[in-house]
Amino acid sequence: MTEIQQQILANQSDYDSFQRNLDSEIALAASMEKELAALRAKGKELETSRQTKLAEMNVQYERIIEDPSIDITPAREAYLAAVRAHKNNKDAISSKYNDWQKKLADVEQMRVSKHSLLNKIESLKEQLNNARIDRLFREFNRQEMVSVSQEVACDRDETIAKCTDRGKFLAKQKASKRFLDQLYDSLTESEAAKQQRPNSEGYVLLQRSDVVQEGFSGAANYNVQLNVEVKGNLKRSDACKLLGLDRRYCVEDRRTSAPESSSVVQVSGMDSNLNMADDSVMHELTLRSNVFDDEVFINGVSYGSTKLQVMLPAGTHDLEVVKRGYETYKQRLNLKESTTLKVELRRAQFAFNKGEKVQDILFGDVPGPQLVVVPSGAYRMGDINGTGLENERPVQSKTIANSFGISETEITVAEFRRFVDETSYVTDAEKDKGCAYYEQGSPVWQEQLNWRTPGYANTANHPVVCISQQDALAYVNWLSRTSGNKYRLPSEEEWEYAARGGKETDYWWGDSVGSGNANCGWCGSQWSNISAAPVASFDRNSYGLFDTAGNVWEWTVSSASKSGSVVRGGAWNFAPRLSRVSTRMELDPNFRANYIGFRVVRER
């Protein structure tokens, strides 16, 4: 952990320095642009002067015909000086323009590198959180011998055997309580864990006990001294709770989970009876709802639609019943016996009715992208929760005056291929330099990478990638021509409004990325840090859009960026924090990578 923390500090220092350098380079580029404008303005003045000097010299040449004694040298030298000044200024303009363009290219490369460095920092933070959980799990689930003494007064109607058993039991309770307190006190992150202790289910296992000394006093008091072997028992899921981390860091691993059986179990830090799942006991859960075509998730796993009957182990299970257009039903169920549940799903505030989906038929009876209608409305745009980057601030109130159609998924390989087959379009990646992929914190260009071969298994239903903003604009222009409707890339405001789905949380499902909700780096999906996922592999948001968090970054048109090109949404190989709904990354419109795609908007 120390090594990871040092790496984070070093990279954060590099990032801060990098940001200062980037700001300096941006300011220098702006200064060079002003100098170029001044040279161009001066060029116009010098051209006017040259023309004036030329006219004066021509007048002198006309006069010399009548009077050969006239000396035209001054006029000629003045003209030559004007020509030299004009030429020198043109050379200065050319030189300054080339320097300015090079500086702009450097700035764009620095912007890409800046986000790569930020992703590296976030990746290290992911490693650090996993290491923190491992450390807490290891520190809590340790074993120790505790020595305790206990004295009890025997009741008159109590047998000697019962009195001694009661004394030994109270001694064992004292040992387990003492050890539990010691566990919390000895944790490296003790203060954080103690704050969450009332909500913790960590407990102590009594392995064995040995009587060191016992006996009765003259007053019928029983004294006993025990050596008790005790062991901490904390599930990985509870370790996340103690440290206030997302539970995706604490996916249970039976190879490392603490045992759940022992001769005696002491109460947990909650001082309540422990409810442990018992895989040897199975109960039947019957689930019904008031709608058709819903989907039931139990502990994050889909079990299909209701009516549902399933056998589950005794213990706690997380239930979710979802249906588009309805509010998600959630319940944590403590299953102790066969149970029947009737779920009532309520209509969401914005429910899609007639016209909820739009799909144009293009020329040649080719279907266009499947669109969903997003209603007009107002929202707050940017870093609402104060956890974002500097380019997400300040938070601004935005109004979307008109409803619009937006593709429910990122544009797929199949959809882009129809465009290429129809137009013989050649992408920027295929023309020159190929496409970038992400390696060791930086984008690396590779000539053979393009939308057909992005560097990982690519099916017709994957999002098309290795697409520059220029390529995306060519696609939407083709859609407009062949459909007769106006298609374009979404503006940043429209994209965030649609991606939020009416929420003000960092992700459309909440403030925590969770596990298995999206395809981003360390997000717990089967594609995380491997490749893009087929579109619609995860849930829709409440406006009906898939994959607005993770999978691939998406091109938008921005009024807040000088280049007008910003990508949104995060990607399969970028840290979860960079998949928040307000995260934005400014790029050159010619940039392309195997983690960048797009979706489209159709104006109504």
Side-chain angles (χ1 to χ4, degrees), residues 23 195 368 547 560 573:
D23 291 341
Q195 290 181 7
D547 302 319
N573 53 348

Side-chain angles (χ1 to χ4, degrees), residues 329-448:
Y329 174 89
K330 295 183 179 181
Q331 179 181 350
R332 176 160 286 186
L333 175 67
N334 186 7
L335 194 62
K336 299 179 180 179
E337 58 188 3
S338 295
T339 303
T340 298
L341 287 180
K342 178 68 185 296
V343 173
E344 291 287 335
L345 294 183
R346 295 182 298 175
R347 297 289 293 190
Q349 185 176 4
F350 178 79
F352 295 100
N353 296 304
K354 185 177 179 181
E356 66 179 0
K357 288 192 176 183
V358 178
Q359 187 172 36
D360 289 324
I361 301 301
L362 310 180
F363 181 79
D365 291 333
V366 174
Q370 179 74 63
L371 310 173
V372 293
V373 176
V374 173
S376 59
Y379 78 109
R380 290 198 296 162
M381 178 181 181
D383 179 25
I384 295 173
N385 295 320
T387 59
L389 307 175
E390 67 278 358
N391 66 358
E392 302 168 33
R393 307 181 189 119
V395 175
Q396 302 177 52
S397 295
K398 297 288 184 180
T399 298
I400 305 299
N402 301 305
S403 62
F404 57 92
I406 186 168
S407 52
E408 63 180 357
T409 70
E410 296 141 339
I411 297 302
T412 65
V413 171
E415 289 168 333
F416 194 78
R417 181 177 286 115
R418 290 174 193 149
F419 157 62
V420 171
D421 291 344
E422 176 72 22
T423 63
S424 300
Y425 181 81
V426 179
T427 62
D428 287 341
E430 293 169 293
K431 292 176 188 174
D432 176 50
K433 197 177 177 181
C435 169
Y437 67 97
Y438 191 76
E439 183 178 64
Q440 296 182 349
S442 300
V444 180
W445 291 88
Q446 196 167 83
E447 283 192 22
Q448 63 266 38

Side-chain angles (χ1 to χ4, degrees), residues 130-142:
N130 281 310
R132 290 173 63 198
I133 293 300
D134 289 340
R135 180 178 65 186
L136 180 66
F137 185 77
R138 183 174 59 254
E139 289 176 343
F140 200 102
N141 293 301
R142 63 184 177 87

Side-chain angles (χ1 to χ4, degrees), residues 180-188 190 194 197:
L180 189 62
D181 291 340
Q182 290 174 355
L183 283 177
Y184 279 100
D185 288 338
S186 64
L187 294 174
T188 303
S190 175
K194 284 180 180 178
R197 180 173 175 174

Side-chain angles (χ1 to χ4, degrees), residues 179 231 425 542 548 551 574:
F179 183 61
K231 185 178 186 302
Y425 181 81
S542 58
T548 56
N551 214 25
F574 278 69

